[in-house]
Amino acid sequence: MMTMSSSSSTTSGCLSVEETSEDHLLPITLAAEELKLALNKEATEEELNKAINRCKDLVLECENISTERKWLVRHLIELRLRLQECKEAHYDPEHPRNKSSGASKRTVRGHHLLLQPFLKNTASKYCDHCTGAIWHLVQAWYKCEDCGYSCHHKCIAGIIRECAHVTISERGEYERNICPEEGLSAQQYQCAECKVVLPIALPKGLACFARFIFSAIGWSDNEVRRCDYTGMYYCSACHWGGSAIIPARLMHNWDFVPQPVSQASLQLLKITANRPLINLEKLNPRLFSLVHELDLVKRIRNGLNEMRKYISICRLAQEDHFLWKNSVTSHLIESPDLYSMQDLLDTNTGELPSKLLNLASVFLKHIKDDCEVCRGRGHLCQICSNDEVLFTFDDNVVICKICNSVLHKVCYFRKNNECPKCERLRIRHEKLTTYKYSDDDDNDDL
Amino acid sequence: MASNKKILLKVVILGDSGVGKTSLMNQYITKKFSNQYKATIGADFLTKELIVDDRAVTMQIWDTAGQERFQSLGVAFYRGADCCVLVFDVTAPNTFKSLDSWRDEFLIQASPREPENFPFVLLGNKVDLEPRGISTKRAQQWCQSKNNIPYFETSAKEALNVEQAFQCIARNALSQQNQNDDLYNEFPDQIKLSQPSKSSGSGDSCAC
C-alpha cells in the first residue's frame, strides 16, 4: 500500500523486509550457546557486551553462507541495538527500560501512545516520525491507540503530526473540496507538516546540479509530493506515496480511484472509514438520482428506520433481544442520512444493498408475521375499512401530516386528499365549544 | 361447537392519560400496584386464563396509550375486539367528558358488525381519592344513554371492584363472540358474500 522512500534512520535497511518466521529460530547447532548469547530480553549492559563478543567469535568460526552464520549476523545486529537501547535508558529517566518510570503510556499532540510489547511481529513497521524501520524485537516503540501512529521511543519528543482522531473529531467532517490546492507559494515552499524547505522542480537536465547546490546551502534534496486530500505539498518523510479513495471525489464525482495522499491523510482516512461522516443528502442530493444503487440504499434505510420505531418499543422484540441480534444500533438504521466511506464503497459493490435487503426482510417478518404486538400497532385505512393492516413503511400508503393517520394512497386520492380523522376531530371540537354552556348547567344539577 | 375450540377474548382498554388503565390491568393480572406513573407507549397486551360460565377462556387485554403523543402508532388491534373497556378518573371531570370521543373513535376504527349492540364497560377509577368530580349518578346517566353500558366504580390501588369488573367484561366479551359465531353458523355463505360491499359502504358513511 505504501512505499518506503528514504532511509534516514540508522536502523533501517539492515534487514530485508521479507523475513520468514523460520529465520528467527535458533539453529540447533547453536543450542549449546543459548545462554552465552543473551537471548533473554532482560539482559544487562555487561551481559550484552559479553554476548556481542561471543557472537563475533562464533561468526568467524562457522562456515561461509551457512544458516548459522546468517542467524549469528542477524543476532549480532539485534544485540547491538539492544545495547544502544540500554545506553539510551541511562540518560533518559522516562525510557521504558527503566521500569519505575511508568512510561508505558504517553500523551503527545493528542496521541495516546501506548508502549508496545517486544513481540515478534512479522509485519514490517516504520516510524511515522523518522521513517526508519521499527525493530520490534529490540526497540522500544509506541503506538497511538486512537489513530495508529507508531514511532520509536526516541522519536516521541519530536512528534509533529496531530492525532488524526483529534483532527477529525474537532472538524466533524471530511474536506468537501476536491484537492483544494493553493500552490507551493502559499506554503512558503515548506512541507505542510514538518516545515522542511521544499525545492521547486527544475528542468530535468539541471536536476542533478540543482540538488548539489541545494545540499550545499542546507536545503534538503527532498522530492515534493502532493496530497490529493488536503491539496498541500509534503516532503517524502511526511508523504510516503500511499494512496486512498478521496471522500470529496466520491461525493462529487462518484470516483473510486485511489489518489496519492500524505501519511497524515492516510491515517485519517483509515480510522474514519467506518464513521458516518458524510451527509450525502445535504452535500450532494443529486447523486441519488444518478446512482441507482445509492437510491436503493436510501429507500431501504428509510424503511428500516420506520420499522425500527416499531421494534425498538416492542416488548416481545426486547425479550428476544431482537435489536441486539440483528445489530440494529448502527448508524445505517438510526441516522439514514449519514454515510461512511465504507458504506459508499459497499454500495458501489452491491454488498450494502443486499445486506440491507436481508435486514429489511427480517424486520418485516417480525412486524407483519411473528409479532402480535407490532401487528396490533399497525393502521387500518379509515376510508375503505378494508381489513388489510397498513404500516408507515409500506409503499402504498400516505401518512396524514396532522393526525398521523395512515391511509391507502388510492383511497386518499379518491377522497380528494381529505383525512377522515382530521375531519372528525374538527367536528368534535366544534360540538364541544357549542355545548359548553349546557355542560356547565349539567354540573350545577349535581 | 365453541366448547372444543380454545376461546380467545380480545379486550381493549381506552381512556385519557393517567386515569389508570395500565394500573387496572396490572392489578387484575399481577395483583400489584405502583404509585409511580409511567406513560404507556403505543399499545401492548397481557393475557390471563380464566373460567367464565364453566368455560375456560384466554383473555387478551390490550392496554393503550392515553397520551396523544404516544398514539402515533396505529390501532389495528381495535379490529376484532370482543369488548371495549372505557376508563375515566372519578376525580377528574375532563376524563369523563372525553369518553364520547373514545367511544366514537373505537366504533369507527374497529367497525364492529353491530355498533349499537357492541359491548362496552365503563370503569370509574380512583374512587379511593377525594374529592369526587363525577358523581355515580352522572356516570350512570351516561351509561343509560348509551344502551345500558355496565358501570363499575373501581380502585386499582385498593383492588376495589377490579375482579368483579373484569368478570363482567369477560362475560360480555364471550356473549359478543357467541353472537358472532351464531351469525357465522346460520348464514355462513351470505355473510362472506356481502362482507366486502358492506364494509366499504359503512366506511364511507362513517368518514364524513
Side-chain angles (χ1 to χ4, degrees):
Chain A
M1 191 175 59
M2 56 190 83
T3 54
M4 265 286 302
S5 59
S6 87
S7 53
S8 56
S9 158
T10 51
T11 56
S12 69
C14 298
L15 295 171
S16 66
V17 176
E18 292 87 16
E19 304 165 347
T20 58
S21 56
E22 281 163 23
D23 291 342
H24 291 289
L25 295 174
L26 179 70
I28 300 164
T29 44
L30 291 168
E33 301 285 343
E34 189 174 341
L35 276 175
K36 287 179 194 162
L37 292 171
L39 290 169
N40 69 323
K41 298 278 177 273
E42 304 300 325
T44 61
E45 218 174 308
E46 199 185 336
E47 281 168 347
L48 283 169
N49 274 320
K50 272 187 192 168
I52 286 170
N53 288 329
R54 179 73 197 134
C55 213
K56 276 185 192 165
D57 294 343
L58 284 169
V59 170
L60 296 174
E61 280 170 27
C62 63
E63 274 177 56
N64 253 342
I65 325 174
S66 65
T67 7
E68 283 80 15
R69 178 167 276 195
K70 194 176 167 193
W71 187 88
L72 283 164
V73 171
R74 201 185 294 268
H75 189 62
L76 186 61
I77 297 164
E78 186 180 323
L79 288 171
R80 283 196 167 140
L81 280 166
R82 260 152 77 178
L83 186 65
Q84 198 186 329
E85 287 277 312
C86 268
K87 282 180 182 160
E88 276 174 18
H90 263 305
Y91 304 106
D92 183 0
E94 285 200 341
H95 197 279
R97 275 191 84 97
N98 303 324
K99 287 272 158 58
S100 55
S101 68
S104 67
K105 200 166 185 176
R106 305 274 294 271
T107 307
V108 184
R109 288 192 179 266
H111 297 284
H112 291 102
L113 299 162
L114 205 63
L115 179 65
Q116 300 297 308
F118 291 100
L119 280 178
K120 192 162 72 187
N121 189 342
T122 44
S124 53
K125 194 106 201 141
Y126 299 97
C127 173
D128 275 304
H129 177 67
C130 72
T131 71
I134 297 173
W135 218 16
H136 310 258
L137 281 163
V138 285
Q139 287 183 310
W141 67 288
Y142 289 79
K143 188 175 176 182
C144 175
E145 287 180 293
D146 301 326
C147 72
Y149 186 96
S150 308
C151 66
H152 296 111
H153 168 75
K154 65 180 165 75
C155 296
I156 283 187
I159 293 178
I160 301 163
R161 192 180 305 159
E162 290 278 342
C163 176
H165 174 76
V166 174
T167 316
I168 195 69
S169 299
E170 278 173 0
R171 189 172 164 144
E173 61 168 358
Y174 289 119
E175 171 61 56
R176 288 188 194 182
N177 299 311
I178 296 174
C179 194
E181 196 176 346
E182 281 188 78
L184 271 170
S185 61
Q187 292 177 216
Q188 276 86 42
Y189 300 92
Q190 291 173 342
C191 167
E193 187 167 291
C194 69
K195 307 295 177 206
V196 71
V197 177
L198 296 171
I200 37 172
L202 292 167
K204 275 235 164 113
L206 289 174
C208 286
F209 182 60
R211 206 162 275 170
F212 174 71
I213 296 176
F214 283 147
S215 56
I217 57 170
W219 281 22
S220 72
D221 61 347
N222 251 319
E223 185 187 332
V224 184
R225 295 174 178 183
R226 191 184 66 185
C227 170
D228 197 76
Y229 176 70
T230 60
M232 290 197 273
Y233 294 89
Y234 295 82
C235 68
S236 55
C238 301
H239 189 316
W240 297 2
S243 57
I245 297 169
I246 310 298
R249 290 191 186 272
L250 201 49
M251 290 187 294
H252 297 294
N253 300 357
W254 200 241
D255 173 3
F256 288 89
V257 180
Q259 303 288 338
V261 288
S262 69
Q263 275 305 97
S265 303
L266 189 66
Q267 268 163 5
L268 186 136
L269 294 172
K270 214 171 178 179
I271 61 162
T272 54
N274 288 310
R275 286 194 215 175
L277 292 171
I278 305 171
N279 189 336
L280 215 50
E281 197 64 57
K282 205 172 90 191
L283 295 169
N284 187 12
R286 284 187 60 190
L287 205 55
F288 290 105
S289 57
L290 297 170
V291 182
H292 168 72
E293 289 87 359
L294 207 53
D295 182 54
L296 181 66
V297 164
K298 179 184 160 182
R299 274 187 288 123
I300 308 171
R301 286 180 71 182
N302 285 334
L304 280 170
N305 190 35
E306 280 296 324
M307 292 188 222
R308 183 184 65 95
K309 290 176 187 166
Y310 287 88
I311 288 169
S312 63
I313 59 160
C314 171
R315 174 175 51 90
L316 299 178
Q318 270 164 26
E319 283 167 8
D320 192 35
H321 304 292
F322 186 89
L323 292 169
W324 179 78
K325 271 189 212 161
N326 295 295
S327 59
V328 177
T329 45
S330 94
H331 69 273
L332 281 169
I333 296 160
E334 292 190 330
S335 26
D337 287 345
L338 298 181
Y339 291 79
S340 73
M341 286 292 285
Q342 194 61 47
D343 294 341
L344 296 175
L345 245 74
D346 292 345
T347 302
N348 196 41
T349 60
E351 205 177 304
L352 190 63
S354 62
K355 184 180 142 198
L356 290 175
L357 275 174
N358 277 341
L359 200 56
S361 67
V362 174
F363 274 36
L364 214 60
K365 188 168 174 294
H366 172 89
I367 296 172
K368 288 196 165 179
D369 299 330
D370 298 347
C371 179
E372 200 170 354
V373 177
C374 289
R375 234 181 307 141
R377 284 166 177 165
H379 298 254
L380 295 163
C381 177
Q382 294 171 40
I383 296 172
C384 69
S385 288
N386 193 314
D387 273 343
E388 185 193 359
V389 180
L390 307 176
F391 291 92
T392 46
F393 49 82
D394 283 334
D395 287 335
N396 60 339
V397 300
V398 281
I399 304 166
C400 172
K401 287 189 178 68
I402 302 161
C403 71
N404 291 323
S405 288
V406 176
L407 309 160
H408 280 121
K409 245 180 214 163
V410 184
C411 297
Y412 186 66
F413 294 143
R414 191 161 48 82
K415 277 278 170 189
N416 300 325
N417 301 355
E418 274 175 25
C419 167
K421 188 173 178 182
C422 287
E423 181 70 7
R424 282 205 302 279
L425 291 176
R426 190 180 60 75
I427 292 167
R428 211 172 282 153
H429 185 72
E430 272 174 15
K431 258 190 199 163
L432 272 178
T433 42
T434 41
Y435 286 121
K436 210 176 175 190
Y437 288 108
S438 62
D439 218 36
D440 286 345
D441 292 345
D442 222 24
N443 278 336
D444 291 339
D445 288 353
L446 298 162
Chain B
M1 42 90 218
S3 52
N4 297 336
K5 145 178 109 182
K6 193 161 170 137
I7 301 171
L8 180 78
L9 300 176
K10 191 168 172 182
V11 174
V12 177
I13 309 180
L14 299 178
D16 279 2
S17 71
V19 297
K21 297 180 291 297
T22 308
S23 294
L24 279 165
M25 183 176 77
N26 282 339
Q27 177 60 260
Y28 176 60
I29 290 174
T30 64
K31 309 270 180 267
K32 279 185 189 129
F33 177 83
S34 162
N35 257 321
Q36 257 172 3
Y37 175 67
K38 195 177 152 209
T40 307
I41 301 170
D44 198 352
F45 69 82
L46 288 179
T47 53
K48 185 171 167 104
E49 313 272 336
L50 68 161
I51 307 284
V52 189
D53 301 334
D54 299 329
R55 290 164 81 178
V57 296
T58 305
M59 186 147 68
Q60 185 186 65
I61 307 171
W62 282 84
D63 178 31
T64 63
Q67 277 186 43
E68 192 111 355
R69 66 195 175 102
F70 292 131
Q71 284 172 16
S72 59
L73 291 161
V75 290
F77 61 91
Y78 282 10
R79 196 61 64 90
D82 299 300
C83 180
C84 175
V85 183
L86 299 169
V87 186
F88 73 98
D89 175 354
V90 293
T91 65
N94 277 334
T95 66
F96 181 76
K97 281 178 195 161
S98 47
L99 288 176
D100 275 313
S101 317
W102 282 113
R103 185 175 172 275
D104 291 350
E105 257 328 289
F106 177 81
L107 286 176
I108 288 163
Q109 303 239 27
S111 54
R113 204 164 285 107
E114 292 174 90
E116 288 312 305
N117 297 323
F118 187 84
F120 283 91
V121 173
L122 182 67
L123 305 184
N125 194 30
K126 304 197 190 179
V127 285
D128 55 294
L129 293 183
E130 290 289 338
R132 279 291 283 252
I134 299 293
S135 66
T136 310
K137 192 182 139 203
R138 192 162 172 212
Q140 280 170 344
Q141 273 175 356
W142 186 84
C143 286
Q144 269 169 19
S145 74
K146 306 285 187 243
N147 207 0
N148 283 323
I149 294 177
Y151 174 59
F152 291 89
E153 297 204 325
T154 59
S155 163
K157 188 179 179 182
E158 286 167 11
L160 197 74
N161 252 344
V162 175
E163 193 70 38
Q164 291 89 324
F166 276 94
Q167 270 295 327
C168 170
I169 291 160
R171 194 164 293 124
N172 286 3
L174 190 63
S175 67
Q176 158 80 4
Q177 207 172 59
N178 287 343
Q179 267 177 23
N180 281 350
D181 283 348
D182 290 345
L183 273 170
Y184 276 124
N185 288 324
E186 273 178 53
F187 318 101
D189 289 346
Q190 283 178 342
I191 280 167
K192 269 181 194 162
L193 281 172
S194 62
Q195 211 168 12
S197 63
K198 189 199 162 194
S199 57
S200 67
S202 71
D204 274 348
S205 62
C206 283
C208 299

